[in-house]
Every structure is written in structure tokens, then in C-alpha cells.
Amino acid sequence: KPGEQKHPKEPSSLQCMHLAVVACGDRLEETLIMLKSAVLFSSRRLCFHIFAEDSLKPEFEKKLKEWPSSYTKKFESNIYPITFSVGNAQEWKKLFKPCAAQRLFLPVILKDVDSLLYVDTDVLFLRPIDDIWHLLRQFNSTQLAAMAPEHELPKIGWYSRFARHPYYGSTGLNSGVMLMNLTRIRSTQFKNSLIPGGLTWEEMLYPLYQKYKNYITWGDQDLLNIIFYFNPECLFVFPCQWNYRPDHCMYGSNCKGAEQEGVSILHGNRGVYHDDKQPTFRALYEVIRDFPFEDNLFQSLYYPLQSKFLDTVHTLCGRIPQVFLKQIEKTMKKVYENRVIVYLGANHRY
């Protein structure tokens, strides 16, 4: 009507927390356990963006449909083929791990998504995604992505000792958990070592790879380090408890944030969910994997975890169980309280 004010539609990223993952090869189970941990604890609606090889697509669809409706109503999922928009697709596909470079193309592919959390398949959420999603509000006007350092201590860091290319800060970045404002990424001109002016994200990827391909070891993670070395003002650095890896405890505890607050996001890189090197990480993975969806969280998740941890005290990571349990305990109390309130609300009408 004339004179009536139109309210802009709420961006989809406010209605939905977008989570992206890339799954190739034998990563089906790991990816499903990661998605399960996301759904178990989060309170707001989730939108999953799963990039998978064609052979895995029907498997993902089948498994996700098997989840109980009380959980399937908390998310929607989209499954995409693996695609690379610039350069040689085969080269990108073989970079470091199969398909890992796909994450570099998310701003280009997911054109309608404003903000996104990307995680590796070997990640587990020990608290609601809502909490890391809130970090987007802490970005200043130039920041467009958030990652955690690769190491806390330069003297044992990989980049500080071995890297033959530029990297961010004193220890480099780990890209296994990456929060992105895609709208900003798409509209930014990035400084680079290729031309004096700026380049868009998509223009920069392939030439940058060509320039440094003989010097990079960790594939797309190294490319992200190079990009943020030249554009440090674009990065928000979040603390180690948001991307907690075996390196944070296997030589002794070196993640202060996790000691104080507990682990928020567990990243079981080096294959530790599937071997006996870090039984603490494996225990968490197996307990979430085996948790029957609609059981009591304390009875069927927390208590089995505590007893499994007793078998890990011979390792340095196993000697600090409170670091692994603090957030998960807090989260479960919150989930339990919310359910009780909802239940009481439904049964008591005053």
C-alpha cells in the first residue's frame, strides 16, 4: 500500500546456521558423526551443505532419513557434487587430501548464503553451534573469516619450523574449523603477491596455487595461510578451544582456553578416532557414534564417556579429562533444562 513501510526480509543466515563439510573416500561415517554432534546440542535450525563424491550421495540421503523426526526437523540438508570453478579440476582434486580444496570454492558456489561455518569431517561439536555462530557478531568491519592458530607454541609449530611459503602470524592457521562471512569474501579485493592491485577471491585462487604449488605441503590450508599473510586485517583469530587437536595435549597441555572453559570443538586430525594413539579422542568419537538419539544424554553419553576416560589416563591427553568434559557437561545440562521447560510448558496451562 502507498506510504506503507516495507521491512527487508531477514537474511537466510539469520534464520538458519549454515554448516558446510566436504566428504570423499571413506569419510561417510565420520561426517555423519560430526553432523550428529551438531544436531544433538544446537538449539537453532541448521542448514547442512554436504559436498560429496557421487557415490556417497545416496548413502548420505539414506542415513540422514533414518534419524528420528525429533532431530530431522532441526535441520535441512543439501548435497552437492564436487566442483571447481577455476583452473584444472584434477589438480584441485588431488591437492593434499581428496576433494579438500573444495572448501576454497564455497564463496563462489553458495552464492545465496551470507555466512557459513566450514568444518573438516573429523570434527565433533561439544557445545551448540549457536555459540561459535555468535562470533560472527564480533567481526570488525574488515574481518571476513575466523580460524584458530595451527599451534600455540612457535618452537614446536610446523609452519614456524618448516614452511617455505608465507603464512599468517607466528604459527600459521589451522583451517579445519573456519567461520566465514561469504558476502564480504565475495565483495573484497584481496592484496596478493601476484599483481600490485587487488584480486577477487575467485580470480586469486588458481594463480596463487600456480605460484606456490611446489612449496605447499598442507594443500588448501597453506593457500589460506598465504592469503591471510597478505590480508591480516581480514582475519578474526579465535582461541584454541574452538579447534582442539591432539597437538594441544599430546606433549603436555598447551591450550589455556580449554583448561579454563573446556573444549568447544574437538578436531581429531591425524586419524586419531580410528587408531590407539590418542584414546581420549577416540572415546569421544565412539560415545557420540553409539549414542541412541532419543536416550538420556547423561545416562547414555556422559557416564559412558567418563568410564571410557578412565582407560586413557596413561596418556597425557587422558590426564586432563576435565578439559574434555567441562563444555559437554554444561551443554547437556542446558539441553536437559530446555527439554524440561518445554515439557512442563506443554503440560501445564495456567
Side-chain angles (χ1 to χ4, degrees):
K1 286 174 192 172
E4 196 175 69
Q5 236 183 335
K6 281 190 180 173
H7 290 284
K9 222 176 113 186
E10 188 187 39
S12 63
S13 60
L14 295 177
Q15 300 161 345
C16 198
M17 297 181 295
H18 294 269
L19 178 66
V21 65
V22 179
C24 286
D26 58 358
R27 299 299 179 116
L28 176 79
E29 183 194 74
E30 224 175 54
T31 308
L32 287 164
I33 309 308
M34 179 277 289
L35 297 173
K36 183 180 183 180
S37 72
V39 170
L40 278 180
F41 301 133
S42 293
S43 47
R44 265 181 45 210
R45 187 167 176 75
L46 291 159
C47 289
F48 296 151
H49 301 275
I50 303 163
F51 290 81
E53 288 174 310
D54 296 343
S55 59
L56 294 179
K57 186 181 179 191
E59 283 296 303
F60 272 114
E61 287 170 343
K62 178 173 165 272
K63 297 281 186 196
L64 290 170
K65 279 189 186 121
E66 287 168 6
W67 290 4
S69 62
S70 55
Y71 285 94
T72 55
K73 68 181 185 197
K74 289 174 71 177
F75 69 88
E76 61 186 69
S77 58
N78 297 292
I79 303 170
Y80 309 82
I82 302 292
T83 50
F84 304 100
S85 56
V86 292
N88 179 327
Q90 283 313 107
E91 267 186 290
W92 285 120
K93 202 163 182 177
K94 290 185 193 133
L95 185 65
F96 185 44
K97 283 182 187 161
C99 312
Q102 180 71 76
R103 97 183 82 185
L104 297 171
F105 295 87
L106 297 177
V108 184
I109 298 167
L110 300 174
K111 285 188 161 59
D112 296 332
V113 176
D114 173 62
S115 296
L116 179 79
L117 176 64
Y118 164 87
V119 294
D120 284 349
T121 59
D122 52 9
V123 153
L124 292 170
F125 295 96
L126 305 188
R127 68 191 282 183
I129 290 187
D130 312 55
D131 297 341
I132 191 168
W133 197 255
H134 288 152
L135 296 180
L136 286 163
R137 295 181 194 162
Q138 293 181 31
F139 284 18
N140 67 24
S141 60
T142 61
Q143 288 166 338
L144 45 75
M147 284 184 273
E150 172 66 19
H151 277 278
E152 300 308 296
L153 309 167
K155 64 171 187 270
I156 59 165
W158 193 91
Y159 284 103
S160 42
R161 291 184 298 154
F162 305 116
R164 294 159 60 211
H165 58 76
Y167 58 90
Y168 179 90
S170 59
T171 58
L173 300 162
N174 183 283
S175 60
V177 179
M178 187 174 176
L179 190 59
M180 294 180 262
N181 182 321
L182 299 183
T183 303
R184 285 187 181 181
I185 290 174
R186 287 187 284 264
S187 62
T188 298
Q189 293 280 320
F190 291 87
K191 297 189 288 293
N192 58 84
S193 58
L194 304 161
I195 62 163
L199 288 169
T200 66
W201 185 266
E202 193 175 11
E203 287 168 345
M204 176 174 59
L205 289 177
Y206 195 61
L208 205 61
Y209 165 67
Q210 287 297 328
K211 177 168 181 176
Y212 291 105
K213 67 179 177 184
N214 296 327
Y215 305 100
I216 57 182
T217 305
W218 308 112
D220 51 319
Q221 177 171 293
D222 290 348
L223 287 175
L224 289 165
N225 267 284
I226 294 163
I227 290 168
F228 290 108
Y229 168 84
F230 289 106
N231 300 273
E233 72 288 351
C234 293
L235 191 77
F236 177 97
V237 180
F238 52 66
C240 46
Q241 67 265 30
W242 293 102
N243 184 349
Y244 190 91
R245 284 157 277 128
D247 289 8
H248 289 121
C249 56
M250 62 196 268
Y251 310 114
S253 183
N254 63 34
C255 174
K256 293 280 173 281
E259 287 170 16
Q260 290 156 7
E261 289 181 30
V263 174
S264 297
I265 295 179
L266 193 77
H267 183 184
N269 64 346
R270 306 171 182 267
V272 292
Y273 296 147
H274 314 292
D275 62 28
D276 298 322
K277 288 180 187 149
Q278 296 301 333
T280 320
F281 281 74
R282 186 172 181 164
L284 266 155
Y285 178 79
E286 288 177 349
V287 164
I288 293 173
R289 180 193 67 195
D290 299 341
F291 173 69
F293 268 104
E294 294 184 304
D295 271 24
N296 178 291
L297 280 165
F298 278 100
Q299 221 170 321
S300 303
L301 199 149
Y302 189 69
Y303 298 133
L305 193 54
Q306 279 186 315
S307 65
K308 268 181 184 270
F309 274 10
L310 293 174
D311 300 330
T312 73
V313 291
H314 61 286
T315 66
L316 284 171
C317 295
R319 283 180 205 164
I320 48 169
Q322 71 286 358
V323 164
F324 295 90
L325 292 169
K326 196 180 277 189
Q327 269 304 332
I328 206 165
E329 187 179 347
K330 209 165 139 186
T331 297
M332 281 193 277
K333 280 183 179 154
K334 207 187 287 177
V335 170
Y336 180 71
E337 281 162 15
N338 287 347
R339 281 188 192 156
V340 168
I341 290 162
V342 168
Y343 178 77
L344 286 174
N347 287 287
H348 293 81
R349 308 226 179 273
Y350 296 104

